[in-house]
Amino acid sequence: MTGADLDPVTLEILRNQLESVAAEMGHVLIRGAYSPNIKERQDCSTALFDADGRMVAQAEHIPVHLGAMPDAVDAVLGKDPKPGDVFVVNDPFAGGTHLPDVTLVSTVAPRGEVVGYAVSRAHHADVGGSAPGSMPPGAREIYEEGLRLPAVRLVDGGQPNEAVRDLILANVRTPDERAADLRAQRAANARAEERVGELLDEHGDALLDAFDAVIDYSRDRIEAEIRELPDGTYRARDVLEGDGVSDGDIPVEAAVTVDGASLDVDFAGTADQVPGNLNAPFSVAKSAVYFVVRAITDPEIPPNHGCYEPVSISAPEGSLLAPRPPAAVVGGNVETSQRVTDVTLAALAEAVPAVVPAGGQGTMNNLIIGDRAGEFTYYETIAGGFGARPGKDGMDGVQVGMTNTLNTPVEALEAAYPLRIERYALRPSSGGDGRHRGGLGVERRLTVEADATVSLLTERRRTAPRGLDGGGDGALGENLIDGEPVPAKASVDVPAGTAVSVRTPGGGGHGDPAERDPEARERDRRDGKVDASGDGPDDDRRK
């Protein structure tokens, strides 16, 4: 039997069972992790690959992780993997995204022969480097950002490689937490092998045929969706607000060409790689484009390798989106990925105006707080406004674009760290006005109760999220330490008692504000979503 011979009912059953394996991996990882960033915020992703390194099924986790995972598996395939092996990798120039994202790739060989790979990627709250949390805003080369691991065996033929484990733990500030999170990742991958073994017992070789069949099915459906787009080339341009070393705008340009059943994205015209850390490995740029393609097509299409096959992506070697080592890259994964998403969506707004929303907050608002003695490291991305949609208001206070994490609950945060939350609320009037209002940003204000280093990697502090079709722009974000504004990218040593506030951007509005339903305006006033002084975002919030 081949994949083409599977009847539709059997294929649907097998597809769902494979996706359930990836989802269960995620549950095991989240429940087994120790750090709040994985356990509470769920800053992690899991997926199942076939023996050729093609993604077969993924859990619906973090877009920037999932689209880049195939490069990590490719790195492992070149290392002659065998049953019982578990590889660890975080090198952005050899399969990773940025150093805090640690990936474990395990062979799946329930019958003694490798039939696939289980992959888990998790953001570890510290992997060494020059600043607690391993996201130094002023980094000029990757060596400042933490421990760099090419694909190396953490488990060799079933035997733990204690030397590699000890090397990792000797280079991080919170080794006990790192060890626990790595154990959780290993457990998640082991669960995949267990479940695949059960499915092989149930279905035999038809399971392996299903690997091909589900990929073919997704490719056919994505191609059909792309054929529905009008042929042509669509262009957009936006900027990043400095790289942490210098403050000048950094252009990101995209030309999206639709030709029949294929879609090509060319980033020629994007800036050369920069001295600071906003360089994004090419795998990150690919992730952003894959996310956009998924966003403008049928969300029910099973997410796997087939979704990527009709999509081609290019960026000039040595550019912001294809940097050469030893470029610093930690901000590229979290911030540049967001701008690539924004630009690609903006280009496609001309092709599918009934689908593409106005600009979302366009940043992850990365906040990292830790002490240099290694007692704690806190990391969080903070929600903001989602852009208004052609037929609906934007969502308030949500993660946008390339991240899909939760917030850290106040109780969990205060129990784990010497931090106290003083305010966590929506920002009234921060969404752009329009026929449909942009989503509201939030304010998260906390007091640091120990001497610590505060690092911020943020965007949209001077270039607002754009409105669409006549809608107003969303409000700018703002960072404050003890009430004083600090740059979008900053690292500051602070004493105990310091107040840190992050006010996140709102989403852009969609359509002519004069056409907004009066009842919707009244509802916004009643719910406190606009300031009493006016209907639109505050003028001072845009300065």
Side-chain angles (χ1 to χ4, degrees):
M1 181 183 290
T2 67
D5 297 326
L6 289 174
D7 66 88
V9 173
T10 301
L11 176 59
E12 185 67 6
I13 290 170
L14 288 166
R15 178 183 72 79
N16 279 279
Q17 288 180 318
L18 290 169
E19 290 181 6
S20 74
V21 173
E24 188 173 348
M25 289 174 65
H27 295 319
V28 171
L29 172 53
I30 290 162
R31 293 183 65 182
Y34 183 80
S35 66
N37 190 53
I38 302 172
K39 178 175 62 178
E40 302 288 354
R41 294 189 59 246
Q42 301 182 15
D43 194 348
C44 58
S45 300
T46 52
L48 184 66
F49 287 70
D50 71 6
D52 294 324
R54 301 179 302 169
M55 184 185 288
V56 174
Q58 67 179 54
E60 296 290 358
H61 288 149
I62 313 299
V64 77
H65 289 175
L66 293 162
M69 272 188 180
D71 287 354
V73 179
D74 284 346
V76 166
L77 289 174
K79 301 287 185 178
D80 191 26
K82 60 183 182 297
D85 283 351
V86 180
F87 288 81
V88 59
V89 58
N90 74 345
D91 185 352
F93 300 104
T97 48
H98 66 173
L99 296 181
D101 282 344
V102 178
T103 304
L104 262 57
V105 180
S106 303
T107 55
V108 174
R111 295 178 173 177
E113 178 183 354
V114 175
V115 297
Y117 298 88
V119 185
S120 59
R121 176 166 286 172
H123 184 116
H124 286 246
D126 187 275
V127 290
S130 64
S134 310
M135 299 183 72
R140 289 175 175 266
E141 54 185 9
I142 196 169
Y143 309 116
E144 300 175 63
E145 296 178 336
L147 179 66
R148 182 176 167 195
L149 296 164
V152 61
R153 285 177 173 85
L154 185 63
V155 178
D156 189 349
Q159 297 300 312
N161 189 339
E162 298 294 348
V164 170
R165 175 184 175 276
D166 291 347
L167 176 66
I168 294 170
L169 300 184
N171 283 277
V172 301
R173 291 179 177 83
T174 47
D176 291 344
E177 189 174 87
R178 300 288 66 73
D181 289 347
L182 286 170
R183 284 197 300 271
Q185 287 185 255
R186 284 182 56 189
N189 290 13
R191 180 63 60 87
E193 184 171 59
E194 178 185 344
R195 291 291 182 252
V196 169
E198 293 171 356
L199 292 176
L200 280 169
D201 291 341
E202 180 181 353
H203 299 289
D205 288 342
L207 179 69
L208 305 183
D209 296 329
F211 288 179
D212 290 327
V214 297
I215 289 171
D216 292 343
Y217 175 73
S218 291
R219 184 190 61 246
D220 291 346
R221 288 192 59 184
I222 283 285
E223 286 179 342
E225 292 277 321
I226 294 174
R227 283 193 189 95
E228 294 297 314
L229 304 177
D231 284 355
T233 297
Y234 310 95
R235 302 178 185 275
R237 181 184 187 276
D238 206 334
V239 297
L240 293 159
E241 303 166 343
D243 65 352
V245 174
S246 60
D247 202 37
D249 287 346
I250 304 166
V252 179
E253 296 187 12
V256 181
T257 299
V258 180
D259 184 6
S262 66
L263 187 147
D264 174 78
V265 182
D266 183 1
F267 290 104
T270 293
D272 292 339
Q273 69 184 70
V274 295
N277 69 16
L278 287 192
N279 302 293
F282 189 52
S283 60
V284 170
K286 291 192 294 185
S287 283
V289 172
Y290 295 150
F291 166 76
V292 170
V293 173
R294 293 279 300 156
I296 66 166
T297 55
D298 186 348
E300 297 302 317
I301 298 174
N304 58 48
H305 181 81
C307 296
Y308 308 155
E309 288 187 347
V311 181
S312 58
I313 304 151
S314 58
E317 185 70 22
S319 71
L320 183 76
L321 303 182
R324 299 184 181 98
V329 299
V330 72
N333 183 67
V334 289
E335 294 303 296
T336 306
S337 66
Q338 294 283 65
R339 197 62 67 252
V340 173
T341 301
D342 289 349
V343 168
T344 309
L345 276 171
L348 284 164
E350 182 182 348
V352 279
V355 174
V356 175
Q361 69 163 340
T363 176
M364 295 192 196
N365 301 296
N366 302 271
L367 174 62
I368 310 100
I369 304 175
D371 70 330
R372 296 191 178 277
E375 295 296 324
F376 77 100
T377 52
Y378 155 76
Y379 171 67
E380 183 142 30
T381 60
I382 304 176
F386 191 94
R389 293 155 284 180
K392 196 177 289 188
D393 287 349
M395 293 176 283
D396 304 323
V398 295
Q399 301 282 2
V400 171
M402 295 304 289
T403 185
N404 188 30
T405 56
L406 304 178
N407 68 180
T408 308
V410 172
E411 299 84 354
L413 184 150
E414 293 184 341
Y417 306 114
L419 305 172
R420 185 174 71 252
I421 298 296
E422 308 290 355
R423 178 175 174 80
Y424 190 30
L426 296 174
R427 295 177 65 198
S429 294
S430 54
D433 201 4
R435 183 186 310 113
H436 301 290
R437 174 183 54 76
L440 303 182
V442 306
E443 179 177 4
R444 191 144 166 104
R445 185 170 72 237
L446 53 84
T447 297
V448 185
E449 297 183 322
D451 294 349
T453 299
V454 176
S455 297
L456 291 150
L457 271 173
T458 62
E459 279 284 323
R460 296 297 190 204
R461 269 49 184 175
R462 67 173 185 248
T463 58
R466 295 173 181 170
L468 199 59
D469 194 27
D473 292 346
L476 295 173
E478 189 176 16
N479 306 327
L480 305 169
I481 293 181
D482 279 340
E484 294 297 319
V486 295
K489 298 160 188 72
S491 188
V492 182
D493 290 331
V494 301
T498 298
V500 179
S501 297
V502 178
R503 297 172 180 168
T504 69
H510 198 292
D512 185 350
E515 298 176 5
R516 183 159 178 77
D517 181 358
E519 290 186 10
R521 289 202 182 279
E522 179 55 35
R523 185 169 58 249
D524 283 345
R525 290 192 188 94
R526 189 170 60 246
D527 293 344
K529 292 188 175 183
V530 296
D531 291 325
S533 59
D535 297 331
D538 276 349
D539 287 339
D540 355 337
R541 294 241 174 122
R542 301 173 170 285
K543 295 177 182 174

